[in-house]
Amino acid sequence: MAETSLTRYELPPQGITLLGYIARRMHKTRLLVPIAGMLSAGNSAAALEQVAWYAAAASVSYGPAYYQPRFNRLGEELVEADPATGWDVWARLEAVSPHYLIAYRALAPDGSAVFSGREEITGTTIGLRGLGMPAPSKFHFTCGGYQATLTGVITSELVLSLFGPTRIRAHGFLNLADSAGNSGKLRLDRRGKLTLEINGQPPIMYALDQDTN
């Protein structure tokens, strides 16, 4: 991810709803675009890696927490295409009690691939590192006959500061498996460092870009 103003896009100055924020958080579908080619080349392990990278990137924000998005009403939904790729992103608020449950989907323009997921925001924890919002999540990706499933917990954190703006970051893990027999694990730390282990091979590391404004 190359933007340096990513959080500003996700939390625009004019304000945004929770579903709008989630849809914009998912506007990183360029990470899904190469997967069809990887599968055509027979590289299913790389495809699973790419799906996992997108799942993590689409679940989190790093940077200034400019404001709290406005809450949606139960049953509300939103569709907003990713301007970079044309993938349609859909999100729906399915429950508000006892926890917020949000379902979402990203669909390729030609319908050939779909990424879907559900996250449950189970509440807020208070700790020395900030305010945490754990979200047990499950994701599913299909492209042709290929399928991948990812399950885990991603926790967003608000970090309060006496000398600067409140910031948002995240950490967590996902367990990975696909229909080609690949499996692995993703770990994400508070610095935005993502580690992927696929089929017991040496870990691959990525950095989720952080907004430093």
Side-chain angles (χ1 to χ4, degrees):
M1 296 182 293
E3 298 97 338
T4 57
S5 57
L6 190 55
T7 313
R8 183 78 281 180
Y9 175 73
E10 294 169 352
L11 297 169
Q14 67 270 24
I16 200 167
T17 64
L18 175 62
L19 293 180
Y21 163 70
I22 288 173
R24 290 200 169 194
R25 202 179 63 189
M26 294 178 66
H27 284 178
K28 300 157 187 162
T29 57
R30 61 191 176 282
L31 295 174
L32 297 174
V33 171
I35 294 176
M38 294 172 176
L39 293 171
S40 295
N43 198 346
S44 59
L48 180 59
E49 175 188 324
Q50 199 75 15
V51 174
W53 185 7
Y54 174 76
S59 299
V60 302
S61 296
Y62 284 86
Y66 297 107
Y67 55 82
Q68 174 71 45
R70 302 186 305 275
F71 286 104
N72 294 89
R73 294 189 299 272
L74 177 65
E76 279 193 313
E77 53 186 67
L78 173 147
V79 179
E80 184 178 353
D82 185 339
T85 62
W87 284 56
D88 272 336
V89 174
W90 166 89
R92 175 183 170 87
L93 181 58
E94 298 202 324
V96 297
S97 179
H99 303 136
Y100 272 77
L101 179 63
I102 301 153
Y104 36 74
R105 180 176 63 244
L107 179 67
D110 62 359
S112 62
V114 59
F115 175 95
S116 60
R118 292 165 66 91
E119 68 179 58
E120 185 177 8
I121 303 172
T122 58
T124 302
T125 62
I126 302 174
L128 296 176
R129 293 180 179 269
L131 304 179
M133 289 158 281
S137 302
K138 183 171 184 178
F139 307 106
H140 193 70
F141 177 79
T142 61
C143 183
Y146 175 83
Q147 300 185 45
T149 301
L150 306 86
T151 57
V153 179
I154 303 293
T155 298
S156 294
E157 282 185 342
L158 287 175
V159 186
L160 307 178
S161 173
L162 295 175
F163 305 104
T166 299
R167 301 186 69 81
I168 188 169
R169 65 187 181 190
H171 63 92
F173 73 92
L174 293 171
N175 295 312
L176 322 172
D178 70 11
S179 57
N182 301 296
S183 62
K185 189 156 190 170
L186 176 150
R187 293 178 179 86
L188 177 67
D189 70 18
R190 290 177 172 88
R191 300 169 298 162
K193 303 298 183 183
L194 186 154
T195 303
L196 276 165
E197 298 178 36
I198 306 289
N199 298 336
Q201 297 299 310
I204 303 164
M205 298 189 70
Y206 297 96
L208 300 184
D209 277 2
Q210 301 183 32
D211 191 332
T212 56
N213 292 340

